[in-house]
Amino acid sequence: MRDCSTNRAGFDRVLMAVAATFLTVSATSALAGQSTTPRASAAELAIDAAVPRPEPANVPPPTIGDFKMDSTASVPDATKSIDKPAEPSAAAKAAEPKPAETVTAPAASDTATATPPAATATAPVPEPAKEPVKVSTVAPADQPVADRLRDMLGTRSLRYFDRKNERAAVEKFYAARDYAPQWTQAGKLTDSGKGVIARLKDAAADGLNPADYPLPDFAAAGSPDQLAEAELKLTASMLDYARQAQSGRMHWSQASSDILYPEHPIDPAEVLANISTAKDASVALDGYNPPHKLYKDLKAKLAELRGQGDGPMIHIAEGPALAFKAATKKQAEVAPEDSRVPQLRAKLGLEHPDDPRYDAKVAAAVRKFQESVDLKPTGVLDDRTVKAINSPKRDRHIDTVLVNMERLRWLPRQLGAASLGNAYVILNVPDFTLKVMQNGAQVWTTRVVTGKPGKHATPMLTETMKFITVNPTWNVPPSIIYNEYLPALQQDPTVLQRMGLRLERNRDGSIHISQPPGEANALGRIRFNFPNKFLVYQHDTPDKHLFAKEERAFSHGCMRVQNPDQYAATLLNITMPNERYTPERIRSMYGRSEIDLKFPTPIPVNITYQTAFVDDAGKLQFRKDIYGRDAAMIALLKNSRSRDLEAMIAHAQPNYSRPKDALPAGVSFASDNTYSSGPSFFERLFGGPSPATPPAPIGRRPQPRFTR
């Protein structure tokens, strides 16, 4: 017999599943149309009440604080953020069998999609990295000024700093200190600011013009804008002072085309760092002036001329004219005695200050003084000379000292070779003297002959002497060939032969003239070589009588040395002390073959133009401005306010590549071959890059040359 109860139970389960499916579909449709379709009957409301539905989640939007950077945090369960669904009624629970749970799963999915987006996040959003908060190093009282400095340097720095390198250095300097002011603190001048202002106010004592370094009025600066502007103006004036103290108010090329010194400009960044960290800003800023004793001595004498010296001013009383007369065959010398002479000796820096005799030395000193002030150099102490000596201002002398201090700024800071005890050669053109210096002391000195005024002026330069040539060949400079010898050939085609000179034509059409070594050679027995673009050098001369003259400007630009054998021995003993050179050893090399003595370490040669200097006795000396350089520089410094004197001027150099005129008939060349393929003039003079000796022209023996 069939078990109907069992079949009944199976039927009931199927019926309940269909009912549950119906209820689920009905509930879904009801939810979709809840807001728009009104309920039509109580049956539908009952069905709605029987179907479980989730409560709407009232979750606020997430904020940045809801996320953490902890990488070990677990992923939050999205279902936990959904509120539990409302409990179904008791009737629904009784009518709902457990197997129906697998059928109602889609409803659970629907409820999950209805949750807010934040509730469905499966991974935390990483918090963006925060920039570190920069702590300002500027004092609160200086912050407004710093803010204005930042703005002014960003928009108006060109107004204060017209040089690009200085502008960049200033911007970097203030940026590194958060634009905090350097010269003030809380509106008051710092010690550094006071030191800089003190140095700029005293610029006249350094031979500079205080008007070139305007000072802002910090006392009247009451606002951040005014303090920031005063800050930048003082920085600009400080940089101007450092630059001109080191390199000069005018570039050497402004004065003449025959000047060449190595450049040594300041580094603005170094100046700012140095002055800002110095214990004494005034002393640090003064350090950009020349360190040479020559400069410091002139600075002290400048103070004396302005009446600021420590010693008492010496006043020479008026009286009868004093004149010295040298002895003759018929009359003894006349050296009058006068009570004013001891004062005169002290004034002129002469020895024996208590001697009342107006002797030859006093008369010579008076004569030199008269020349320096454009008085007739008679050597007689008359009223005009006494008034010139007693002049309290000495305006002309002050100007002369100022331009000489300016020229000393052009010289290198290191005059000598450090490895040789700072050894160097210095030649003063207006004084016609040459000195060898080592370890700050004079080692040797001699008289020299320098270039004539005009186009033959001896140039001002710094170069290094690399070797000495004994028995040199004179390779005539192009300027002499084309300006003197070729015109002379037009008058007399045999003049060069009679002078012992050799004439050759180079392949480029230029003319080469030379004189072989020998006693009559224009260079004498020794040439001192320091290669330079002006093709000048120092050398011996057969014309010894010129050294007896007081004024010795007779050459074509080269410098003739009175005692070349002693000069050579002195230099060689500095560079090669173990060789023990003597003048006798040098003279033993004299002959007809060139001998080069090379220096292991070159010696710097400084050719200067000092019309004012302090001698070994501490006396201020003046010399005649033979080339007119003083007058030209004084005029430029006084009358060129609108001109940038610090700018370099390019000067054209003469070209002597070809003769201006054809050579006259009858001119005899040194050999049958018309052209010489030898080295250039510079290579003949100072040595070329190749040590090989060029082939000698046909019919002439090659000139022997030895190197030691």
mmCIF file with all atom_site columns, all heavy atoms in Angstrom, residues 42-59:
data_model
loop_
_atom_site.group_PDB
_atom_site.id
_atom_site.type_symbol
_atom_site.label_atom_id
_atom_site.label_alt_id
_atom_site.label_comp_id
_atom_site.label_asym_id
_atom_site.label_entity_id
_atom_site.label_seq_id
_atom_site.pdbx_PDB_ins_code
_atom_site.Cartn_x
_atom_site.Cartn_y
_atom_site.Cartn_z
_atom_site.occupancy
_atom_site.B_iso_or_equiv
_atom_site.pdbx_formal_charge
_atom_site.auth_seq_id
_atom_site.auth_comp_id
_atom_site.auth_asym_id
_atom_site.auth_atom_id
_atom_site.pdbx_PDB_model_num
ATOM 1   N N   . ALA A 1 42 ? -4.614 44.824 0.498  1.00 0.00 ? 42 ALA A N   1
ATOM 2   C CA  . ALA A 1 42 ? -4.030 44.429 1.782  1.00 0.00 ? 42 ALA A CA  1
ATOM 3   C C   . ALA A 1 42 ? -3.154 43.219 1.620  1.00 0.00 ? 42 ALA A C   1
ATOM 4   O O   . ALA A 1 42 ? -2.202 43.016 2.391  1.00 0.00 ? 42 ALA A O   1
ATOM 5   C CB  . ALA A 1 42 ? -5.154 44.140 2.786  1.00 0.00 ? 42 ALA A CB  1
ATOM 6   N N   . ALA A 1 43 ? -3.439 42.376 0.584  1.00 0.00 ? 43 ALA A N   1
ATOM 7   C CA  . ALA A 1 43 ? -2.623 41.166 0.383  1.00 0.00 ? 43 ALA A CA  1
ATOM 8   C C   . ALA A 1 43 ? -1.196 41.541 0.033  1.00 0.00 ? 43 ALA A C   1
ATOM 9   O O   . ALA A 1 43 ? -0.228 40.934 0.502  1.00 0.00 ? 43 ALA A O   1
ATOM 10  C CB  . ALA A 1 43 ? -3.235 40.312 -0.724 1.00 0.00 ? 43 ALA A CB  1
ATOM 11  N N   . GLU A 1 44 ? -1.060 42.544 -0.799 1.00 0.00 ? 44 GLU A N   1
ATOM 12  C CA  . GLU A 1 44 ? 0.297  42.972 -1.166 1.00 0.00 ? 44 GLU A CA  1
ATOM 13  C C   . GLU A 1 44 ? 1.034  43.532 0.034  1.00 0.00 ? 44 GLU A C   1
ATOM 14  O O   . GLU A 1 44 ? 2.246  43.327 0.195  1.00 0.00 ? 44 GLU A O   1
ATOM 15  C CB  . GLU A 1 44 ? 0.224  44.005 -2.282 1.00 0.00 ? 44 GLU A CB  1
ATOM 16  C CG  . GLU A 1 44 ? -0.284 43.421 -3.601 1.00 0.00 ? 44 GLU A CG  1
ATOM 17  C CD  . GLU A 1 44 ? -0.386 44.475 -4.680 1.00 0.00 ? 44 GLU A CD  1
ATOM 18  O OE1 . GLU A 1 44 ? -0.188 45.678 -4.334 1.00 0.00 ? 44 GLU A OE1 1
ATOM 19  O OE2 . GLU A 1 44 ? -0.604 44.132 -5.833 1.00 0.00 ? 44 GLU A OE2 1
ATOM 20  N N   . LEU A 1 45 ? 0.334  44.296 0.868  1.00 0.00 ? 45 LEU A N   1
ATOM 21  C CA  . LEU A 1 45 ? 0.969  44.831 2.075  1.00 0.00 ? 45 LEU A CA  1
ATOM 22  C C   . LEU A 1 45 ? 1.412  43.702 2.982  1.00 0.00 ? 45 LEU A C   1
ATOM 23  O O   . LEU A 1 45 ? 2.476  43.776 3.622  1.00 0.00 ? 45 LEU A O   1
ATOM 24  C CB  . LEU A 1 45 ? -0.006 45.752 2.809  1.00 0.00 ? 45 LEU A CB  1
ATOM 25  C CG  . LEU A 1 45 ? -0.384 47.042 2.052  1.00 0.00 ? 45 LEU A CG  1
ATOM 26  C CD1 . LEU A 1 45 ? -1.412 47.838 2.850  1.00 0.00 ? 45 LEU A CD1 1
ATOM 27  C CD2 . LEU A 1 45 ? 0.862  47.894 1.818  1.00 0.00 ? 45 LEU A CD2 1
ATOM 28  N N   . ALA A 1 46 ? 0.622  42.628 3.063  1.00 0.00 ? 46 ALA A N   1
ATOM 29  C CA  . ALA A 1 46 ? 0.999  41.490 3.911  1.00 0.00 ? 46 ALA A CA  1
ATOM 30  C C   . ALA A 1 46 ? 2.233  40.818 3.376  1.00 0.00 ? 46 ALA A C   1
ATOM 31  O O   . ALA A 1 46 ? 3.118  40.382 4.124  1.00 0.00 ? 46 ALA A O   1
ATOM 32  C CB  . ALA A 1 46 ? -0.164 40.505 3.979  1.00 0.00 ? 46 ALA A CB  1
ATOM 33  N N   . ILE A 1 47 ? 2.262  40.681 2.033  1.00 0.00 ? 47 ILE A N   1
ATOM 34  C CA  . ILE A 1 47 ? 3.439  40.054 1.437  1.00 0.00 ? 47 ILE A CA  1
ATOM 35  C C   . ILE A 1 47 ? 4.681  40.893 1.726  1.00 0.00 ? 47 ILE A C   1
ATOM 36  O O   . ILE A 1 47 ? 5.746  40.389 2.052  1.00 0.00 ? 47 ILE A O   1
ATOM 37  C CB  . ILE A 1 47 ? 3.224  39.875 -0.061 1.00 0.00 ? 47 ILE A CB  1
ATOM 38  C CG1 . ILE A 1 47 ? 2.109  38.852 -0.332 1.00 0.00 ? 47 ILE A CG1 1
ATOM 39  C CG2 . ILE A 1 47 ? 4.522  39.461 -0.763 1.00 0.00 ? 47 ILE A CG2 1
ATOM 40  C CD1 . ILE A 1 47 ? 1.727  38.722 -1.788 1.00 0.00 ? 47 ILE A CD1 1
ATOM 41  N N   . ASP A 1 48 ? 4.529  42.226 1.583  1.00 0.00 ? 48 ASP A N   1
ATOM 42  C CA  . ASP A 1 48 ? 5.677  43.114 1.860  1.00 0.00 ? 48 ASP A CA  1
ATOM 43  C C   . ASP A 1 48 ? 6.168  42.956 3.283  1.00 0.00 ? 48 ASP A C   1
ATOM 44  O O   . ASP A 1 48 ? 7.389  42.979 3.562  1.00 0.00 ? 48 ASP A O   1
ATOM 45  C CB  . ASP A 1 48 ? 5.286  44.563 1.615  1.00 0.00 ? 48 ASP A CB  1
ATOM 46  C CG  . ASP A 1 48 ? 5.131  44.858 0.131  1.00 0.00 ? 48 ASP A CG  1
ATOM 47  O OD1 . ASP A 1 48 ? 5.645  44.053 -0.683 1.00 0.00 ? 48 ASP A OD1 1
ATOM 48  O OD2 . ASP A 1 48 ? 4.575  45.928 -0.207 1.00 0.00 ? 48 ASP A OD2 1
ATOM 49  N N   . ALA A 1 49 ? 5.227  42.850 4.207  1.00 0.00 ? 49 ALA A N   1
ATOM 50  C CA  . ALA A 1 49 ? 5.614  42.712 5.609  1.00 0.00 ? 49 ALA A CA  1
ATOM 51  C C   . ALA A 1 49 ? 6.294  41.395 5.871  1.00 0.00 ? 49 ALA A C   1
ATOM 52  O O   . ALA A 1 49 ? 7.114  41.269 6.784  1.00 0.00 ? 49 ALA A O   1
ATOM 53  C CB  . ALA A 1 49 ? 4.378  42.868 6.500  1.00 0.00 ? 49 ALA A CB  1
ATOM 54  N N   . ALA A 1 50 ? 5.948  40.353 5.078  1.00 0.00 ? 50 ALA A N   1
ATOM 55  C CA  . ALA A 1 50 ? 6.527  39.025 5.318  1.00 0.00 ? 50 ALA A CA  1
ATOM 56  C C   . ALA A 1 50 ? 7.918  38.888 4.753  1.00 0.00 ? 50 ALA A C   1
ATOM 57  O O   . ALA A 1 50 ? 8.685  38.030 5.174  1.00 0.00 ? 50 ALA A O   1
ATOM 58  C CB  . ALA A 1 50 ? 5.599  37.955 4.717  1.00 0.00 ? 50 ALA A CB  1
ATOM 59  N N   . VAL A 1 51 ? 8.263  39.703 3.769  1.00 0.00 ? 51 VAL A N   1
ATOM 60  C CA  . VAL A 1 51 ? 9.601  39.593 3.132  1.00 0.00 ? 51 VAL A CA  1
ATOM 61  C C   . VAL A 1 51 ? 10.611 40.425 3.922  1.00 0.00 ? 51 VAL A C   1
ATOM 62  O O   . VAL A 1 51 ? 10.390 41.616 4.142  1.00 0.00 ? 51 VAL A O   1
ATOM 63  C CB  . VAL A 1 51 ? 9.547  40.078 1.678  1.00 0.00 ? 51 VAL A CB  1
ATOM 64  C CG1 . VAL A 1 51 ? 10.940 40.046 1.053  1.00 0.00 ? 51 VAL A CG1 1
ATOM 65  C CG2 . VAL A 1 51 ? 8.578  39.227 0.879  1.00 0.00 ? 51 VAL A CG2 1
ATOM 66  N N   . PRO A 1 52 ? 11.701 39.821 4.357  1.00 0.00 ? 52 PRO A N   1
ATOM 67  C CA  . PRO A 1 52 ? 12.728 40.606 5.100  1.00 0.00 ? 52 PRO A CA  1
ATOM 68  C C   . PRO A 1 52 ? 13.469 41.568 4.169  1.00 0.00 ? 52 PRO A C   1
ATOM 69  O O   . PRO A 1 52 ? 13.866 41.207 3.066  1.00 0.00 ? 52 PRO A O   1
ATOM 70  C CB  . PRO A 1 52 ? 13.667 39.518 5.639  1.00 0.00 ? 52 PRO A CB  1
ATOM 71  C CG  . PRO A 1 52 ? 13.508 38.387 4.707  1.00 0.00 ? 52 PRO A CG  1
ATOM 72  C CD  . PRO A 1 52 ? 12.068 38.416 4.241  1.00 0.00 ? 52 PRO A CD  1
ATOM 73  N N   . ARG A 1 53 ? 13.652 42.810 4.611  1.00 0.00 ? 53 ARG A N   1
ATOM 74  C CA  . ARG A 1 53 ? 14.353 43.847 3.837  1.00 0.00 ? 53 ARG A CA  1
ATOM 75  C C   . ARG A 1 53 ? 15.358 44.582 4.728  1.00 0.00 ? 53 ARG A C   1
ATOM 76  O O   . ARG A 1 53 ? 15.093 44.815 5.893  1.00 0.00 ? 53 ARG A O   1
ATOM 77  C CB  . ARG A 1 53 ? 13.334 44.842 3.276  1.00 0.00 ? 53 ARG A CB  1
ATOM 78  C CG  . ARG A 1 53 ? 12.423 44.232 2.214  1.00 0.00 ? 53 ARG A CG  1
ATOM 79  C CD  . ARG A 1 53 ? 11.201 45.081 1.943  1.00 0.00 ? 53 ARG A CD  1
ATOM 80  N NE  . ARG A 1 53 ? 11.551 46.479 1.785  1.00 0.00 ? 53 ARG A NE  1
ATOM 81  C CZ  . ARG A 1 53 ? 10.621 47.438 1.706  1.00 0.00 ? 53 ARG A CZ  1
ATOM 82  N NH1 . ARG A 1 53 ? 9.351  47.151 1.795  1.00 0.00 ? 53 ARG A NH1 1
ATOM 83  N NH2 . ARG A 1 53 ? 10.999 48.674 1.565  1.00 0.00 ? 53 ARG A NH2 1
ATOM 84  N N   . PRO A 1 54 ? 16.479 44.906 4.162  1.00 0.00 ? 54 PRO A N   1
ATOM 85  C CA  . PRO A 1 54 ? 17.507 45.610 4.986  1.00 0.00 ? 54 PRO A CA  1
ATOM 86  C C   . PRO A 1 54 ? 17.101 47.037 5.258  1.00 0.00 ? 54 PRO A C   1
ATOM 87  O O   . PRO A 1 54 ? 16.426 47.677 4.458  1.00 0.00 ? 54 PRO A O   1
ATOM 88  C CB  . PRO A 1 54 ? 18.759 45.553 4.107  1.00 0.00 ? 54 PRO A CB  1
ATOM 89  C CG  . PRO A 1 54 ? 18.224 45.509 2.707  1.00 0.00 ? 54 PRO A CG  1
ATOM 90  C CD  . PRO A 1 54 ? 16.949 44.695 2.777  1.00 0.00 ? 54 PRO A CD  1
ATOM 91  N N   . GLU A 1 55 ? 17.505 47.496 6.425  1.00 0.00 ? 55 GLU A N   1
ATOM 92  C CA  . GLU A 1 55 ? 17.301 48.908 6.757  1.00 0.00 ? 55 GLU A CA  1
ATOM 93  C C   . GLU A 1 55 ? 18.329 49.756 5.988  1.00 0.00 ? 55 GLU A C   1
ATOM 94  O O   . GLU A 1 55 ? 19.481 49.358 5.813  1.00 0.00 ? 55 GLU A O   1
ATOM 95  C CB  . GLU A 1 55 ? 17.488 49.116 8.257  1.00 0.00 ? 55 GLU A CB  1
ATOM 96  C CG  . GLU A 1 55 ? 16.407 48.423 9.097  1.00 0.00 ? 55 GLU A CG  1
ATOM 97  C CD  . GLU A 1 55 ? 15.042 49.033 8.897  1.00 0.00 ? 55 GLU A CD  1
ATOM 98  O OE1 . GLU A 1 55 ? 14.998 50.254 8.615  1.00 0.00 ? 55 GLU A OE1 1
ATOM 99  O OE2 . GLU A 1 55 ? 14.051 48.328 8.981  1.00 0.00 ? 55 GLU A OE2 1
ATOM 100 N N   . PRO A 1 56 ? 17.927 50.905 5.518  1.00 0.00 ? 56 PRO A N   1
ATOM 101 C CA  . PRO A 1 56 ? 18.918 51.767 4.808  1.00 0.00 ? 56 PRO A CA  1
ATOM 102 C C   . PRO A 1 56 ? 20.026 52.212 5.764  1.00 0.00 ? 56 PRO A C   1
ATOM 103 O O   . PRO A 1 56 ? 19.765 52.599 6.886  1.00 0.00 ? 56 PRO A O   1
ATOM 104 C CB  . PRO A 1 56 ? 18.073 52.938 4.316  1.00 0.00 ? 56 PRO A CB  1
ATOM 105 C CG  . PRO A 1 56 ? 16.885 52.961 5.224  1.00 0.00 ? 56 PRO A CG  1
ATOM 106 C CD  . PRO A 1 56 ? 16.602 51.519 5.588  1.00 0.00 ? 56 PRO A CD  1
ATOM 107 N N   . ALA A 1 57 ? 21.252 52.099 5.265  1.00 0.00 ? 57 ALA A N   1
ATOM 108 C CA  . ALA A 1 57 ? 22.421 52.494 6.085  1.00 0.00 ? 57 ALA A CA  1
ATOM 109 C C   . ALA A 1 57 ? 22.589 54.000 6.048  1.00 0.00 ? 57 ALA A C   1
ATOM 110 O O   . ALA A 1 57 ? 22.590 54.614 4.985  1.00 0.00 ? 57 ALA A O   1
ATOM 111 C CB  . ALA A 1 57 ? 23.675 51.821 5.560  1.00 0.00 ? 57 ALA A CB  1
ATOM 112 N N   . ASN A 1 58 ? 22.720 54.590 7.214  1.00 0.00 ? 58 ASN A N   1
ATOM 113 C CA  . ASN A 1 58 ? 22.939 56.045 7.326  1.00 0.00 ? 58 ASN A CA  1
ATOM 114 C C   . ASN A 1 58 ? 24.393 56.281 7.725  1.00 0.00 ? 58 ASN A C   1
ATOM 115 O O   . ASN A 1 58 ? 24.704 56.605 8.871  1.00 0.00 ? 58 ASN A O   1
ATOM 116 C CB  . ASN A 1 58 ? 21.965 56.627 8.347  1.00 0.00 ? 58 ASN A CB  1
ATOM 117 C CG  . ASN A 1 58 ? 22.029 58.155 8.356  1.00 0.00 ? 58 ASN A CG  1
ATOM 118 O OD1 . ASN A 1 58 ? 22.549 58.756 7.425  1.00 0.00 ? 58 ASN A OD1 1
ATOM 119 N ND2 . ASN A 1 58 ? 21.497 58.762 9.421  1.00 0.00 ? 58 ASN A ND2 1
ATOM 120 N N   . VAL A 1 59 ? 25.306 56.023 6.789  1.00 0.00 ? 59 VAL A N   1
ATOM 121 C CA  . VAL A 1 59 ? 26.752 56.125 7.074  1.00 0.00 ? 59 VAL A CA  1
ATOM 122 C C   . VAL A 1 59 ? 27.270 57.449 6.524  1.00 0.00 ? 59 VAL A C   1
ATOM 123 O O   . VAL A 1 59 ? 27.041 57.758 5.350  1.00 0.00 ? 59 VAL A O   1
ATOM 124 C CB  . VAL A 1 59 ? 27.528 54.963 6.412  1.00 0.00 ? 59 VAL A CB  1
ATOM 125 C CG1 . VAL A 1 59 ? 29.010 55.063 6.726  1.00 0.00 ? 59 VAL A CG1 1
ATOM 126 C CG2 . VAL A 1 59 ? 26.958 53.646 6.911  1.00 0.00 ? 59 VAL A CG2 1
#
